[in-house]
Amino acid sequence: MGFFGSRKEEADAKASVLLTVHDNERTIRQETAAMAAFLNTLIQQAIREQKEVVFLCIGSDRSIGDALGPLVGTMLVEAGVTHRVYGTLEEPVHAFNLEPTLKAIKRQFRQPLIIGIDAGLGEKEQVGAVILKEGPLLPGRALQKMLPPVGDYRMANEPIAYHARPSM
């Protein structure tokens, strides 16, 4: 069993990767363009279905390895994104306020499309990548925190690799 669960779960997680932007200058522009186009398609589909789009950017500005969410949230707000953004450097969403934030989103929006953004731990070959996957992200899982799953889609960078623990 690996750090995140069984080998089958790990294989399923690898298969669900929609798009990955690697730190590779030859393809980074193409990969970024593909990811942007896919996100645009997701957002346009949500708008056609009369769903609100919510970016839920999770993390803490107190740790550089966990600051992806608030940094992206701040950039989205500063860029004038018209969709709702939760989690910025000024108002981060983190382990202590995640559940109340999720409740507020549930109260405010009927059926939102939630795109969760967070830093994550990945496998050695994923270090330096930004990954877009379908399904919720599991914040705090690397630190074995029991936090609720977040999002319909998730984006994460993979700043450091995790090491599988031996089975017990």
Side-chain angles (χ1 to χ4, degrees), residues 6 10 25 67 76 93 119 132 145 148 151-152 155 161 165 168:
S6 72
E10 291 172 6
E25 288 190 34
L76 289 169
V93 174
L132 173 62
K145 293 182 180 177
D152 300 297
M155 290 183 71
R165 290 185 182 174
M168 292 192 177

Side-chain angles (χ1 to χ4, degrees), residues 42-43 46-47 51-55 83-85 112-115:
L42 276 179
I43 290 168
I47 291 169
K51 291 183 175 183
E52 296 284 341
V53 176
V54 174
F55 290 95
H83 306 291
R84 185 66 167 103
V85 177
L113 169 70
I114 299 174
I115 300 170

Side-chain angles (χ1 to χ4, degrees), residues 2-129:
F3 187 75
F4 288 123
S6 72
R7 295 220 184 270
K8 180 182 181 325
E9 288 170 342
E10 291 172 6
D12 290 346
K14 287 179 190 175
S16 70
V17 173
L18 297 172
L19 295 164
T20 304
V21 177
H22 296 278
D23 188 13
N24 176 341
E25 288 190 34
R26 290 177 295 169
T27 60
I28 196 165
R29 285 188 181 105
Q30 296 159 332
E31 292 173 344
T32 301
M35 188 175 288
F38 183 80
L39 282 169
N40 187 51
T41 300
L42 276 179
I43 290 168
Q44 294 305 316
Q45 181 179 346
I47 291 169
R48 281 192 301 278
E49 294 173 2
Q50 298 182 334
K51 291 183 175 183
E52 296 284 341
V53 176
V54 174
F55 290 95
L56 183 50
C57 306
I58 300 169
S60 170
D61 61 338
R62 294 179 182 220
S63 168
I64 194 70
D66 193 34
L68 176 73
L71 285 169
V72 171
T74 298
M75 288 189 277
L76 289 169
V77 169
E78 289 176 353
V81 168
T82 59
H83 306 291
R84 185 66 167 103
V85 177
Y86 290 85
T88 62
L89 290 170
E90 286 187 14
E91 294 182 40
V93 174
H94 45 68
F96 298 113
N97 65 1
L98 178 61
E99 289 187 47
T101 301
L102 288 171
K103 287 178 185 176
I105 291 169
K106 190 174 183 178
R107 280 192 311 269
Q108 186 173 357
F109 304 105
R110 190 172 46 91
Q111 283 188 314
L113 169 70
I114 299 174
I115 300 170
I117 301 170
D118 193 8
L121 296 180
E123 295 187 29
K124 197 176 206 177
E125 57 273 3
Q126 295 174 326
V127 172

